Amino acid sequence: MIDLKAARANRAEWRAALARKGAADAFDALLAADERWRALVPRVDDLRSRTKLKGKPTPEQLEQLQTLKEQLRAAEEELAAAEAARDEALASVPNPPHPSAPDGDSEDDAVELHRVGEPPALAEVREATEIGRFELERAARVSGSRFGYMVGDTALLALAVYRFAIDHVARAGFTPVLPPVLVREEAMVGTGFFPTEKSNIYELEADGLFLTGTSEVALAAMHMGEILDEAELPLRYCGFSTCFRREAGAAGKDTRGMFRVHQFNKVEMFVFIDPRESWAEHERMVALEEELLDKLGLPYRVVNVAAGDLGAPAAKKIDIEAWFPSQQRYREVTSCSNTTDFQARRLGIRMRGAGGLEPPHTLNGTVVTDRAVLALLENFQGEVPDVLRPYGAPQRVES
């Protein structure tokens, strides 16, 4: 959540920033709810003080005390309702974007920073599912649309990519983690995926649990409610998990193949860090993502995502898009976000330093997903980069 005290002190600045995310009205609603709550606090405090009598009360004082207690009960109920309304409004306000995030509200408004590598000149362009073995029709019979099997060499290639990615970031100081993929609602709310992304999340209603769309949720919530010592930071984790997304609102988008599916695997970086070091860490994480794609030999471009296209938690996000020959365009394969103190505040995570307690910053960055496998198949048409051979990848993928 945002720092409400700071937002009160600089209303115009915060409103202007949040307007870039389309959240000016939500911010106005928060301030109105906050003012209603704050106006009630002195009245409740006054009534509480008046109910405290010294010495033995007279009959008249007892009668007056009874009236005061009834007024206090009503005022406390009104205050509790106002507080709940303020907290609900606060949960709906996203993290304001960083000034360096460009204006705009769609992927077309992202600003390209640079490109690396040249798209391959292919005599014949084949889509990934025409090269590797993906059982889509059988998966549809088993699970429905937007699911698929990876089989044989294709599965070995995918497993090699994940293990290669884990080693890549582990050498950079990230601790590997196999996190749970089912979490409670407080983890989804705390990371900022609820309420805005709730339509994209699978729910197990009978158990009060939700399937995560990224291991970011479980990694962030691992320290929920804790006080971290400044000397412990940064904490760098690398999670590998299967992820689930309903893809609500994606009707008609990427319906062919395995590009946009309900279930996929992902290697994810997550960092808890001193706020004064988070922007340098963001650049470091993006560099690690680029290094991995360089080692794989994939052509790609790096873009700065527009403010209105950022998720609720992110202040800034850098996407890396690999070239997909079958689509003749660059598509997102990794991303890296600085969520500043937004998630830490919602999750009740604080760090203890020389200046006392304050929320740390958190960052997340995708290292690889199944899309990296698709990009490899398409750009090399079945040939496999040498760097993946030690991890069990075949020399060539055959369908």
Side-chain angles (χ1 to χ4, degrees), residues 125-164:
V125 175
R126 292 183 295 163
E127 199 265 340
T129 55
E130 298 175 295
I131 302 167
R133 186 178 172 189
F134 298 88
E135 297 286 0
L136 302 180
E137 291 184 8
R138 289 185 170 107
R141 291 200 298 268
V142 173
S143 304
S145 63
R146 295 188 190 266
F147 286 93
Y149 290 94
M150 290 188 188
V151 184
D153 289 347
T154 306
L156 292 177
L157 173 63
L159 291 169
V161 168
Y162 309 143
R163 193 66 180 85
F164 172 69

Short mmCIF file of all heavy atoms in Angstrom, two decimals, residues 125-164:
data_model
loop_
_atom_site.label_atom_id
_atom_site.label_comp_id
_atom_site.label_asym_id
_atom_site.label_seq_id
_atom_site.Cartn_x
_atom_site.Cartn_y
_atom_site.Cartn_z
N VAL A 125 10.12 -20.53 -42.12
CA VAL A 125 9.73 -20.16 -40.75
C VAL A 125 8.67 -21.13 -40.26
O VAL A 125 7.61 -21.29 -40.88
CB VAL A 125 9.19 -18.72 -40.69
CG1 VAL A 125 8.68 -18.41 -39.28
CG2 VAL A 125 10.29 -17.73 -41.08
N ARG A 126 8.98 -21.79 -39.14
CA ARG A 126 8.02 -22.69 -38.53
C ARG A 126 7.72 -22.24 -37.11
O ARG A 126 8.62 -21.82 -36.38
CB ARG A 126 8.55 -24.13 -38.52
CG ARG A 126 8.67 -24.77 -39.90
CD ARG A 126 9.13 -26.21 -39.77
NE ARG A 126 10.48 -26.30 -39.22
CZ ARG A 126 11.01 -27.41 -38.69
NH1 ARG A 126 10.27 -28.53 -38.63
NH2 ARG A 126 12.24 -27.41 -38.24
N GLU A 127 6.48 -22.34 -36.73
CA GLU A 127 6.06 -22.01 -35.36
C GLU A 127 6.55 -23.09 -34.41
O GLU A 127 6.76 -24.24 -34.83
CB GLU A 127 4.52 -21.87 -35.33
CG GLU A 127 4.00 -21.10 -34.12
CD GLU A 127 3.60 -22.02 -32.98
OE1 GLU A 127 3.36 -23.22 -33.22
OE2 GLU A 127 3.53 -21.54 -31.84
N ALA A 128 6.74 -22.73 -33.14
CA ALA A 128 7.35 -23.65 -32.17
C ALA A 128 6.67 -25.01 -32.11
O ALA A 128 7.32 -26.05 -32.01
CB ALA A 128 7.37 -23.00 -30.79
N THR A 129 5.34 -25.01 -32.17
CA THR A 129 4.62 -26.29 -32.05
C THR A 129 4.77 -27.16 -33.29
O THR A 129 4.41 -28.34 -33.26
CB THR A 129 3.13 -26.04 -31.77
OG1 THR A 129 2.59 -25.19 -32.79
CG2 THR A 129 2.94 -25.38 -30.41
N GLU A 130 5.31 -26.59 -34.37
CA GLU A 130 5.60 -27.38 -35.57
C GLU A 130 7.00 -27.99 -35.51
O GLU A 130 7.33 -28.85 -36.32
CB GLU A 130 5.49 -26.49 -36.81
CG GLU A 130 4.11 -25.90 -37.05
CD GLU A 130 4.10 -24.94 -38.22
OE1 GLU A 130 4.76 -23.89 -38.13
OE2 GLU A 130 3.44 -25.27 -39.22
N ILE A 131 7.80 -27.52 -34.56
CA ILE A 131 9.18 -27.99 -34.42
C ILE A 131 9.29 -29.00 -33.28
O ILE A 131 9.78 -30.11 -33.45
CB ILE A 131 10.13 -26.80 -34.18
CG1 ILE A 131 10.02 -25.80 -35.33
CG2 ILE A 131 11.57 -27.29 -34.02
CD1 ILE A 131 10.66 -24.47 -35.03
N GLY A 132 8.87 -28.58 -32.08
CA GLY A 132 8.90 -29.46 -30.93
C GLY A 132 7.65 -30.32 -30.85
O GLY A 132 6.76 -30.23 -31.71
N ARG A 133 7.61 -31.15 -29.82
CA ARG A 133 6.44 -32.00 -29.63
C ARG A 133 5.56 -31.41 -28.52
O ARG A 133 5.90 -31.47 -27.34
CB ARG A 133 6.83 -33.43 -29.29
CG ARG A 133 5.61 -34.36 -29.23
CD ARG A 133 5.98 -35.79 -28.95
NE ARG A 133 4.77 -36.59 -28.71
CZ ARG A 133 4.77 -37.84 -28.27
NH1 ARG A 133 5.92 -38.47 -28.06
NH2 ARG A 133 3.63 -38.48 -28.06
N PHE A 134 4.46 -30.84 -28.91
CA PHE A 134 3.47 -30.26 -28.00
C PHE A 134 2.13 -30.95 -28.30
O PHE A 134 1.62 -30.85 -29.41
CB PHE A 134 3.32 -28.76 -28.23
CG PHE A 134 4.58 -27.97 -27.96
CD1 PHE A 134 5.52 -27.77 -28.96
CD2 PHE A 134 4.81 -27.43 -26.71
CE1 PHE A 134 6.67 -27.04 -28.73
CE2 PHE A 134 5.97 -26.68 -26.46
CZ PHE A 134 6.90 -26.50 -27.49
N GLU A 135 1.61 -31.64 -27.32
CA GLU A 135 0.33 -32.33 -27.50
C GLU A 135 -0.80 -31.39 -27.05
O GLU A 135 -1.18 -31.36 -25.88
CB GLU A 135 0.32 -33.63 -26.69
CG GLU A 135 1.36 -34.65 -27.14
CD GLU A 135 0.98 -35.32 -28.45
OE1 GLU A 135 -0.08 -34.98 -29.01
OE2 GLU A 135 1.76 -36.18 -28.92
N LEU A 136 -1.32 -30.61 -27.99
CA LEU A 136 -2.33 -29.62 -27.66
C LEU A 136 -3.74 -30.21 -27.70
O LEU A 136 -4.56 -29.92 -26.83
CB LEU A 136 -2.22 -28.43 -28.62
CG LEU A 136 -0.85 -27.72 -28.63
CD1 LEU A 136 -0.87 -26.56 -29.63
CD2 LEU A 136 -0.48 -27.23 -27.25
N GLU A 137 -4.03 -31.01 -28.69
CA GLU A 137 -5.37 -31.60 -28.79
C GLU A 137 -5.63 -32.56 -27.64
O GLU A 137 -6.72 -32.56 -27.06
CB GLU A 137 -5.54 -32.31 -30.13
CG GLU A 137 -5.58 -31.36 -31.32
CD GLU A 137 -5.84 -32.09 -32.62
OE1 GLU A 137 -6.14 -33.31 -32.58
OE2 GLU A 137 -5.74 -31.45 -33.69
N ARG A 138 -4.63 -33.36 -27.30
CA ARG A 138 -4.80 -34.28 -26.18
C ARG A 138 -4.96 -33.50 -24.86
O ARG A 138 -5.75 -33.87 -24.00
CB ARG A 138 -3.61 -35.24 -26.10
CG ARG A 138 -3.61 -36.27 -27.24
CD ARG A 138 -2.49 -37.29 -27.06
NE ARG A 138 -2.65 -38.39 -28.01
CZ ARG A 138 -1.89 -38.57 -29.09
NH1 ARG A 138 -0.91 -37.71 -29.36
NH2 ARG A 138 -2.10 -39.59 -29.89
N ALA A 139 -4.20 -32.42 -24.72
CA ALA A 139 -4.33 -31.59 -23.52
C ALA A 139 -5.72 -30.96 -23.44
O ALA A 139 -6.29 -30.84 -22.35
CB ALA A 139 -3.25 -30.50 -23.50
N ALA A 140 -6.26 -30.56 -24.59
CA ALA A 140 -7.59 -29.96 -24.61
C ALA A 140 -8.64 -30.96 -24.14
O ALA A 140 -9.60 -30.60 -23.46
CB ALA A 140 -7.93 -29.46 -26.01
N ARG A 141 -8.45 -32.24 -24.50
CA ARG A 141 -9.40 -33.26 -24.05
C ARG A 141 -9.29 -33.47 -22.55
O ARG A 141 -10.29 -33.75 -21.88
CB ARG A 141 -9.14 -34.59 -24.78
CG ARG A 141 -9.49 -34.58 -26.26
CD ARG A 141 -9.68 -35.99 -26.79
NE ARG A 141 -8.48 -36.79 -26.68
CZ ARG A 141 -7.56 -36.92 -27.64
NH1 ARG A 141 -7.71 -36.24 -28.78
NH2 ARG A 141 -6.51 -37.70 -27.49
N VAL A 142 -8.09 -33.33 -22.03
CA VAL A 142 -7.86 -33.58 -20.61
C VAL A 142 -8.22 -32.37 -19.75
O VAL A 142 -8.84 -32.51 -18.69
CB VAL A 142 -6.37 -33.96 -20.37
CG1 VAL A 142 -6.06 -34.04 -18.88
CG2 VAL A 142 -6.05 -35.28 -21.05
N SER A 143 -7.83 -31.16 -20.22
CA SER A 143 -7.91 -29.97 -19.37
C SER A 143 -8.69 -28.81 -19.97
O SER A 143 -8.99 -27.86 -19.27
CB SER A 143 -6.50 -29.48 -19.03
OG SER A 143 -5.73 -30.50 -18.44
N GLY A 144 -8.96 -28.86 -21.28
CA GLY A 144 -9.62 -27.74 -21.93
C GLY A 144 -8.63 -26.93 -22.75
O GLY A 144 -7.46 -27.30 -22.91
N SER A 145 -9.10 -25.80 -23.26
CA SER A 145 -8.25 -24.97 -24.11
C SER A 145 -7.15 -24.28 -23.30
O SER A 145 -7.25 -24.13 -22.08
CB SER A 145 -9.10 -23.91 -24.82
OG SER A 145 -9.69 -23.04 -23.89
N ARG A 146 -6.10 -23.86 -24.02
CA ARG A 146 -4.96 -23.15 -23.44
C ARG A 146 -4.17 -24.01 -22.45
O ARG A 146 -3.63 -23.51 -21.46
CB ARG A 146 -5.37 -21.83 -22.79
CG ARG A 146 -5.91 -20.79 -23.79
CD ARG A 146 -6.11 -19.45 -23.09
NE ARG A 146 -6.82 -18.50 -23.91
CZ ARG A 146 -6.26 -17.58 -24.70
NH1 ARG A 146 -4.95 -17.51 -24.78
NH2 ARG A 146 -7.00 -16.74 -25.39
N PHE A 147 -4.11 -25.30 -22.70
CA PHE A 147 -3.22 -26.20 -21.97
C PHE A 147 -2.44 -26.99 -23.01
O PHE A 147 -2.86 -27.11 -24.16
CB PHE A 147 -3.99 -27.16 -21.07
CG PHE A 147 -4.56 -26.52 -19.83
CD1 PHE A 147 -5.86 -26.02 -19.84
CD2 PHE A 147 -3.81 -26.40 -18.67
CE1 PHE A 147 -6.39 -25.43 -18.71
CE2 PHE A 147 -4.34 -25.82 -17.54
CZ PHE A 147 -5.63 -25.32 -17.55
N GLY A 148 -1.29 -27.55 -22.60
CA GLY A 148 -0.52 -28.35 -23.54
C GLY A 148 0.46 -29.26 -22.82
O GLY A 148 0.89 -28.97 -21.70
N TYR A 149 0.80 -30.36 -23.48
CA TYR A 149 1.88 -31.24 -23.02
C TYR A 149 3.16 -30.86 -23.76
O TYR A 149 3.14 -30.57 -24.96
CB TYR A 149 1.58 -32.69 -23.39
CG TYR A 149 0.45 -33.37 -22.65
CD1 TYR A 149 -0.83 -33.39 -23.18
CD2 TYR A 149 0.70 -34.05 -21.46
CE1 TYR A 149 -1.87 -34.06 -22.55
CE2 TYR A 149 -0.33 -34.73 -20.81
CZ TYR A 149 -1.61 -34.72 -21.35
OH TYR A 149 -2.62 -35.39 -20.71
N MET A 150 4.30 -30.87 -23.05
CA MET A 150 5.61 -30.87 -23.68
C MET A 150 6.14 -32.29 -23.55
O MET A 150 6.18 -32.84 -22.46
CB MET A 150 6.58 -29.89 -23.01
CG MET A 150 6.27 -28.43 -23.21
SD MET A 150 7.63 -27.43 -22.53
CE MET A 150 6.93 -25.79 -22.66
N VAL A 151 6.58 -32.87 -24.67
CA VAL A 151 6.93 -34.29 -24.68
C VAL A 151 8.31 -34.51 -25.27
O VAL A 151 8.72 -33.80 -26.20
CB VAL A 151 5.87 -35.08 -25.49
CG1 VAL A 151 6.17 -36.58 -25.43
CG2 VAL A 151 4.47 -34.82 -24.96
N GLY A 152 9.02 -35.50 -24.74
CA GLY A 152 10.29 -35.94 -25.32
C GLY A 152 11.38 -34.89 -25.29
O GLY A 152 11.64 -34.27 -24.26
N ASP A 153 12.02 -34.67 -26.45
CA ASP A 153 13.12 -33.69 -26.54
C ASP A 153 12.69 -32.30 -26.10
O ASP A 153 13.48 -31.55 -25.52
CB ASP A 153 13.63 -33.60 -27.99
CG ASP A 153 14.41 -34.84 -28.41
OD1 ASP A 153 14.76 -35.64 -27.53
OD2 ASP A 153 14.65 -34.98 -29.63
N THR A 154 11.43 -31.97 -26.37
CA THR A 154 10.93 -30.64 -26.00
C THR A 154 10.90 -30.49 -24.49
O THR A 154 11.29 -29.44 -23.94
CB THR A 154 9.52 -30.42 -26.57
OG1 THR A 154 9.55 -30.65 -27.98
CG2 THR A 154 9.03 -29.01 -26.30
N ALA A 155 10.48 -31.53 -23.78
CA ALA A 155 10.47 -31.51 -22.32
C ALA A 155 11.89 -31.42 -21.77
O ALA A 155 12.16 -30.67 -20.82
CB ALA A 155 9.77 -32.75 -21.78
N LEU A 156 12.83 -32.16 -22.38
CA LEU A 156 14.22 -32.10 -21.93
C LEU A 156 14.81 -30.72 -22.15
O LEU A 156 15.58 -30.21 -21.32
CB LEU A 156 15.05 -33.15 -22.67
CG LEU A 156 14.72 -34.62 -22.33
CD1 LEU A 156 15.56 -35.55 -23.20
CD2 LEU A 156 14.95 -34.92 -20.85
N LEU A 157 14.48 -30.09 -23.28
CA LEU A 157 14.95 -28.74 -23.54
C LEU A 157 14.41 -27.78 -22.48
O LEU A 157 15.16 -26.95 -21.94
CB LEU A 157 14.50 -28.28 -24.93
CG LEU A 157 14.77 -26.81 -25.27
CD1 LEU A 157 16.26 -26.51 -25.27
CD2 LEU A 157 14.15 -26.44 -26.62
N ALA A 158 13.13 -27.88 -22.17
CA ALA A 158 12.53 -26.99 -21.17
C ALA A 158 13.19 -27.16 -19.82
O ALA A 158 13.54 -26.17 -19.15
CB ALA A 158 11.03 -27.26 -21.07
N LEU A 159 13.40 -28.40 -19.39
CA LEU A 159 14.03 -28.65 -18.09
C LEU A 159 15.45 -28.10 -18.06
O LEU A 159 15.89 -27.55 -17.04
CB LEU A 159 14.03 -30.14 -17.79
CG LEU A 159 12.65 -30.77 -17.52
CD1 LEU A 159 12.73 -32.29 -17.50
CD2 LEU A 159 12.08 -30.26 -16.19
N ALA A 160 16.17 -28.21 -19.18
CA ALA A 160 17.53 -27.67 -19.25
C ALA A 160 17.51 -26.14 -19.14
O ALA A 160 18.38 -25.55 -18.47
CB ALA A 160 18.19 -28.11 -20.56
N VAL A 161 16.54 -25.51 -19.78
CA VAL A 161 16.43 -24.04 -19.72
C VAL A 161 16.20 -23.58 -18.29
O VAL A 161 16.85 -22.64 -17.80
CB VAL A 161 15.31 -23.54 -20.65
CG1 VAL A 161 14.99 -22.07 -20.36
CG2 VAL A 161 15.71 -23.71 -22.10
N TYR A 162 15.30 -24.26 -17.57
CA TYR A 162 15.01 -23.86 -16.18
C TYR A 162 16.26 -24.03 -15.31
O TYR A 162 16.60 -23.14 -14.52
CB TYR A 162 13.88 -24.70 -15.58
CG TYR A 162 12.62 -24.77 -16.42
CD1 TYR A 162 11.89 -25.96 -16.49
CD2 TYR A 162 12.16 -23.68 -17.15
CE1 TYR A 162 10.74 -26.05 -17.26
CE2 TYR A 162 11.02 -23.77 -17.92
CZ TYR A 162 10.32 -24.96 -17.98
OH TYR A 162 9.19 -25.06 -18.75
N ARG A 163 16.93 -25.17 -15.45
CA ARG A 163 18.11 -25.42 -14.60
C ARG A 163 19.24 -24.47 -14.95
O ARG A 163 19.95 -23.98 -14.05
CB ARG A 163 18.55 -26.87 -14.80
CG ARG A 163 19.56 -27.34 -13.75
CD ARG A 163 18.91 -27.38 -12.36
NE ARG A 163 19.88 -27.84 -11.36
CZ ARG A 163 20.75 -27.06 -10.74
NH1 ARG A 163 20.78 -25.75 -10.99
NH2 ARG A 163 21.59 -27.56 -9.86
N PHE A 164 19.41 -24.18 -16.23
CA PHE A 164 20.42 -23.21 -16.66
C PHE A 164 20.14 -21.84 -16.06
O PHE A 164 21.04 -21.15 -15.57
CB PHE A 164 20.43 -23.14 -18.19
CG PHE A 164 21.29 -22.06 -18.76
CD1 PHE A 164 22.67 -22.12 -18.67
CD2 PHE A 164 20.71 -20.97 -19.42
CE1 PHE A 164 23.47 -21.11 -19.21
CE2 PHE A 164 21.50 -19.97 -19.95
CZ PHE A 164 22.88 -20.03 -19.85
#
